[in-house]
Every structure is written in C-alpha cells, then in structure tokens.
Amino acid sequence: MAKVGSNTGNQTAERVYSYYPGCSQLATAEEYDVSARLVSRKLGIELRELEDWICCGASAAHSTDHWLSLALPAHTLKQAEEAGLPLAVPCAMCFSRLKFALHELENKETRDIVSHIIEKELSTAVAVEPMLKILADESLPIPVVKPLSGLKVACYYGCLLVRPPEVVKFDNAENPQTMERLMQRLGAEPINWGLKTACCGAGVAFPRLDVVLKLSYRLLSLIKASGADCVAVACPMCHANLDMYQKDMKAKFGEKLDLPVLYFTQLMGLALGFSPKELLLNKHITNPLPMLRKKELI
Amino acid sequence: MQDTKAIIPEPASSLLSFVQSNTGQNISSCYQCGKCSAGCPTAYAMDIGPRQVMRAIQLGLKDEILGSSAIWLCVSCQTCSVRCPREIDIARVIESLRLLSQAEGTPPAQREIAVFHRAFLQQVRIFGRLYEVGLGIMYNLRSGHFFNNMNRLPSLFAKKKLRLIPQRTKGVSDARRIAARVKKLESELK
Ligand code: SF4
Ligand code: SF4
C-alpha cells in the first residue's frame, strides 16, 4: 500500500507512489498521462516518475520472446523495488505485463534466470497498482466542483485490467464496478451494458484493421444503443481502437456513431474543475467538445 | 486420464507432453465443451478455433497447429482461460505454441502480425522505448504495405497525436543489454 505520511488521522494523508507512465502515454496517449498527473496532484497523491525507465515490451515481446517478455518488465520492477514505493501504472497493457512478470517471478527457478538476465537480484516484494484503483479509492475524498450531472457514461474496462484475476488481483473479471462507482461520485450516470470486459481487438490494428473494426464496432454500437453520451476507458489501446476508427466503421457498417471516448482521468479532471485545454480534450479524433457543451459541462 | 494416454499413438503423446510440461496445463482434461471458442473474440477469423487447437494437441496434429492462423490471431485477451470449466489456461497454451512455431521456423500463417511484433521490438532495441512513428514506418516497409495508415496522417497531425521525435532515455543501454543477454541465453538453451 501507499506510504502514508506522518499526518495519519488526517483524511488527506499524503500518498506517494513511484510512477511508470509507459511509452504511449508520452506520445499518442499523452492526454492520459497529463490528466492522470493533474488529477493525482489535486487529490494529494504524489507521483514520482521512475528515472530512465524502459518499455515493458507489450504484446510484441509477450507474443514472440518468452524471456524478453519477463526481463523487460523485471527491469522496471527492480527500479520500483529500489525506490521503495508502490508503483502506479496508468496503461492497462503495461500494468498487465508488469503483473504477469511478478506472477511468473514467484517461481524461484524463473526468478533466478530473469535475475541473471538483468544482472540484479529480483524479489517479488513490490506492489503494482493500476491508476484506476488508486484514483477510485473510496477512502480518498474527491473535491468535485463541477458535477457531471446528466452525463451518461459507458465504463469500458477491456481485457487487461481485470483478467486473469489470479494475476491482476483487481475488481471482477466479468462484471467490474470500480469505474461505475467512481463515475457516480463525480455526479455522472454510469449505464448498464453487457460488454464492458469484452475485447476491442487490442494491438492488431496495423496488421488486421478489419478485426479491430469488427470488434470495436460491436462495442460502440451496443453502447450507442444503450443511450450513453460517451465512453470512459483506462487503456491507450482501447482508446485508440474506439476513438480513431469511427469513420471507418461508418463506411463499413453504415452507422454514424459519433461517440466520444475519454480517459476516466479526463472525466475526473472535468469534475475537479480543470479546463478542456488542460485535459487535452482537443486531442481525440472523435471530438468530445460539442457533446460536453450541449450537456453544459464546459 | 491415464487411460486416454494409452490409446494415443507415440507422436501425439510427445507433442501433448511437451505442451503440458511447458505450460503446466492438463490438456488431456479438455472435454471439448467449446466454451473457449464461444467467448473468443477472434475465433471468427481463425482457421481453427481454441477448442480445435486443444483437440489437435491431444491428437498430436503438430503441423496443423503450428501452421494455423489461430496462434497468431489470439490476442491474449484471457477470456478463454478465465472461463474454461476444466481450468485450463488456454491463452498460455496458445502462447507456448506460438513460441514453438517460431523456434521450429514454421512460416507464420499471419505474416503481417509477426512482422508487426518484430518491428515493435526493433524500436525498443533502438530507443529503449516504443517510437510509434518509427514503428509505423518499419511496419509498412517490412510488410510491403507501404501506404498503410497514410490516409490517417492528416487527422493525426491536426490533433497533434504524433510525437515525431523519439523519447530519450538513458535506459536504452539497459534495454539493449537485456535484449542481448536474452539472445545469448536462448542460444545456450537451444
Ligand atoms: S473451455 Fe476448456 S474444456 Fe471447454 S473446450 Fe475449451 S479448453 Fe476444452
Ligand atoms: S486468449 Fe486468445 S484464444 Fe483465448 S479468447 Fe482471447 S483471443 Fe481467443
């Protein structure tokens, strides 16, 4: 758990984490990193970015090279262990790779081999937590200044945050509720829908866009039919798949979706009073601003 | 499950025992209920689905499995593993088959997906982190789909989505060293 400052008993006791942004969050998904940092600071959470961190290897290492897929995240786990703080991770893919590595490292033989590769003695004594869990912590007060009244949100978790449960140890694999409860605290109205942990097509958009279009359209059309105004996500891959290709979906399936897809941290940021500009709401391919204006939320 | 083993011919049991010992999963216990294929998001695009992959392992149909598109179209979403009534970690089994197919030099049935993974890791070896623009360029060059995603560039530029300059990290030397040491270890293991 987070290190709690000396002022225990105070509700806003200081929470300090090491922070692993992950590659995408400093590039195409910059708005996730920016909003996560803004919101954290506002809530009294200190994020200390690991120095000179490297890529987790994502699905590329995992699909093609067993030892590399453990050694790359192990490098980060070691950094976190040395920093002596729990590790906060916004990206669901990074989170999943780090958790899988931790899980595998519980096996002594595996741990010895990976320690040999990275030339450092590994332990499994490091806590890795998704940004969603940290920011949705119900013991943490959220000073909402602009409730998201009347905003119907479809919370979408995707695969990696919640599966497999024995590895990620977070919420529920089939019907998670963390994001819904958070949205309610922001004054928004989470909708009920059936595919919130179904797959969006993950990382195959380059080689097989057809697969991503089919799977992501299945999600968006159900969300649309369920009456949501927007989608909340906690993963840069889910975001890209749902946000970037809505025009392609219109061409292929004939349905105009126009469904804004926002990071949950951006919705928190709005409720906390940050401006659309600060939250980089202008970076999405499907523009959320007209909808937010209509709802009088900006 | 000893009885089943007794009726399977020798080559079949060798693939079966290889995968079982490699993954720690009891594949013989699969009773073909089909729940894995029913929930698999990409099964519709695979030549054989996860349930058939499991049966093929039991039967020792190695070439069919290693040459299948299933092992490349699996996106490791873990749905099958979470739902299997026999508690088989199917995603892990498929992962080990994908690795086996590469170790044996089987041409990937989904060449573009394999090319994409390699282009991704190349960026990590060069920069220590993913450089998305570099990945796009390398993927297009290596896959031969030179104009892939080109029509998207104007909107990506307009929204300042693309970071044109690679991220810098001193960790790049660590990433390279790790990649080199993995390579060395893997050649020793062979
Ligand atoms: S869900 Fe499990 S038991 Fe059923 S077919 Fe798939 S692997 Fe076999
Ligand atoms: S892990 Fe692979 S095989 Fe299993 S459901 Fe997901 S895509 Fe299908």
Side-chain angles (χ1 to χ4, degrees), chain A residues 75-124:
Chain A
H75 179 270
T76 300
L77 292 172
K78 187 68 202 177
Q79 285 187 305
E81 186 195 320
E82 285 168 357
L85 294 167
L87 185 65
V89 186
C91 170
M93 173 58 88
C94 303
F95 168 69
S96 165
R97 293 322 316 157
L98 290 161
K99 280 294 219 184
F100 260 102
L102 260 184
H103 189 72
E104 297 281 315
L105 291 176
E106 273 166 25
N107 177 311
K108 169 96 172 63
E109 211 179 307
T110 306
R111 192 165 70 239
D112 288 344
I113 295 175
V114 181
S115 298
H116 170 75
I117 294 171
I118 72 163
E119 300 167 279
K120 280 180 176 167
E121 211 46 55
L122 282 158
S123 84
T124 50

Side-chain angles (χ1 to χ4, degrees), chain B residues 18-149:
Chain B
F18 173 82
V19 179
Q20 296 205 142
S21 71
N22 205 263
T23 61
Q25 302 302 307
N26 184 1
I27 290 155
S28 306
S29 76
C30 164
Y31 49 31
Q32 293 288 291
C33 69
K35 204 170 181 185
C36 48
S37 289
C40 173
T42 53
Y44 82 94
M46 295 172 175
D47 44 8
I48 53 172
R51 176 190 63 82
Q52 289 165 306
V53 170
M54 302 305 281
R55 187 72 183 129
I57 302 171
Q58 292 173 341
L59 294 173
L61 303 174
K62 191 171 166 191
D63 294 346
E64 283 79 352
I65 301 175
L66 299 191
S68 74
S69 69
I71 59 174
W72 292 100
L73 281 165
C74 165
V75 290
S76 304
C77 75
Q78 310 288 333
T79 308
C80 53
S81 300
V82 170
R83 293 182 183 168
C84 172
R86 304 299 279 164
E87 296 184 1
I88 304 171
D89 187 346
I90 303 143
R92 188 179 185 132
V93 169
I94 293 184
E95 179 194 330
S96 85
L97 295 167
R98 186 166 51 226
L99 296 173
L100 180 64
S101 86
Q102 291 167 88
E104 303 230 329
T106 315
Q110 289 281 309
R111 185 181 148 266
E112 277 84 356
I113 295 179
V115 166
F116 178 76
H117 290 321
R118 272 183 226 123
F120 187 110
L121 288 180
Q122 189 190 32
Q123 299 304 307
V124 178
R125 275 194 296 270
I126 298 173
F127 299 110
R129 292 185 190 166
L130 171 62
Y131 174 41
E132 292 163 332
V133 174
L135 170 60
I137 296 170
M138 276 325 293
Y139 172 74
N140 286 12
L141 287 177
R142 289 193 171 188
S143 66
H145 302 301
F146 300 122
F147 301 108
N148 185 54
N149 273 326

Side-chain angles (χ1 to χ4, degrees), chain A:
Chain A
M1 270 322 294
K3 249 191 198 168
V4 177
S6 52
N7 52 344
T8 34
N10 180 345
Q11 274 200 318
T12 55
E14 200 185 328
R15 296 165 194 240
V16 189
Y17 291 83
S18 288
Y19 182 60
Y20 179 74
C23 308
S24 294
Q25 280 58 239
L26 300 188
T28 39
E30 184 192 6
E31 61 273 28
Y32 191 14
D33 172 69
V34 167
S35 54
R37 288 184 203 248
L38 279 178
V39 168
S40 298
R41 195 172 316 132
K42 189 78 163 191
L43 299 185
I45 297 167
E46 186 184 334
L47 301 177
R48 295 189 192 154
E49 184 173 339
L50 292 175
E51 267 175 46
D52 294 314
W53 54 268
I54 60 175
C55 175
C56 72
S59 52
H62 165 62
S63 296
T64 59
D65 196 323
H66 177 68
W67 292 111
L68 192 62
S69 79
L70 296 178
L72 288 172
H75 179 270
T76 300
L77 292 172
K78 187 68 202 177
Q79 285 187 305
E81 186 195 320
E82 285 168 357
L85 294 167
L87 185 65
V89 186
C91 170
M93 173 58 88
C94 303
F95 168 69
S96 165
R97 293 322 316 157
L98 290 161
K99 280 294 219 184
F100 260 102
L102 260 184
H103 189 72
E104 297 281 315
L105 291 176
E106 273 166 25
N107 177 311
K108 169 96 172 63
E109 211 179 307
T110 306
R111 192 165 70 239
D112 288 344
I113 295 175
V114 181
S115 298
H116 170 75
I117 294 171
I118 72 163
E119 300 167 279
K120 280 180 176 167
E121 211 46 55
L122 282 158
S123 84
T124 50
V126 45
V128 176
E129 291 185 12
M131 209 68 230
L132 176 61
K133 182 177 176 198
I134 296 167
L135 295 178
D137 180 352
E138 278 166 32
S139 69
L140 187 69
I142 305 177
V144 172
V145 296
K146 188 146 185 63
L148 305 179
S149 323
L151 186 70
K152 294 206 180 87
V153 184
C155 299
Y156 176 54
Y157 297 79
C159 309
L160 303 168
L161 270 180
V162 291
R163 276 193 302 267
E166 65 277 15
V167 172
V168 295
K169 302 187 176 86
F170 175 58
D171 209 329
N172 180 291
E174 301 283 358
N175 187 15
Q177 292 290 335
T178 307
M179 228 190 294
E180 277 83 353
R181 283 198 296 266
L182 175 63
M183 289 303 139
Q184 270 165 349
R185 288 173 71 200
L186 303 178
E189 196 185 312
I191 64 152
N192 262 326
W193 70 296
L195 293 175
K196 57 190 182 181
T197 62
C199 179
C200 67
V204 298
F206 269 46
R208 288 295 299 265
L209 183 60
D210 60 313
V211 170
V212 165
L213 290 182
K214 185 176 166 102
L215 299 181
S216 290
Y217 172 68
R218 185 172 74 125
L219 304 175
L220 288 171
S221 64
L222 180 60
I223 293 172
K224 184 102 186 163
S226 313
D229 302 306
C230 65
V231 191
V233 296
C235 168
M237 256 189 331
C238 299
H239 187 273
N241 287 345
L242 297 183
D243 171 54
M244 270 177 60
Y245 304 113
Q246 293 190 14
K247 276 205 182 115
D248 306 65
M249 292 173 196
K250 164 118 196 325
K252 191 162 177 172
F253 304 106
E255 184 180 352
K256 185 165 187 272
L257 292 157
D258 207 10
L259 255 179
V261 186
L262 305 172
Y263 289 102
F264 76 96
T265 44
Q266 291 179 302
L267 288 167
M268 287 186 90
L270 277 178
L272 290 168
F274 291 105
S275 71
K277 213 171 176 179
E278 288 172 292
L279 297 166
L280 302 183
L281 285 173
N282 53 339
K283 279 199 80 173
H284 303 312
I285 300 294
T286 305
N287 185 359
L289 299 176
M291 181 278 292
L292 291 169
R293 256 181 234 123
K294 213 164 98 195
K295 297 261 160 194
E296 294 177 9
L297 294 172
I298 54 173

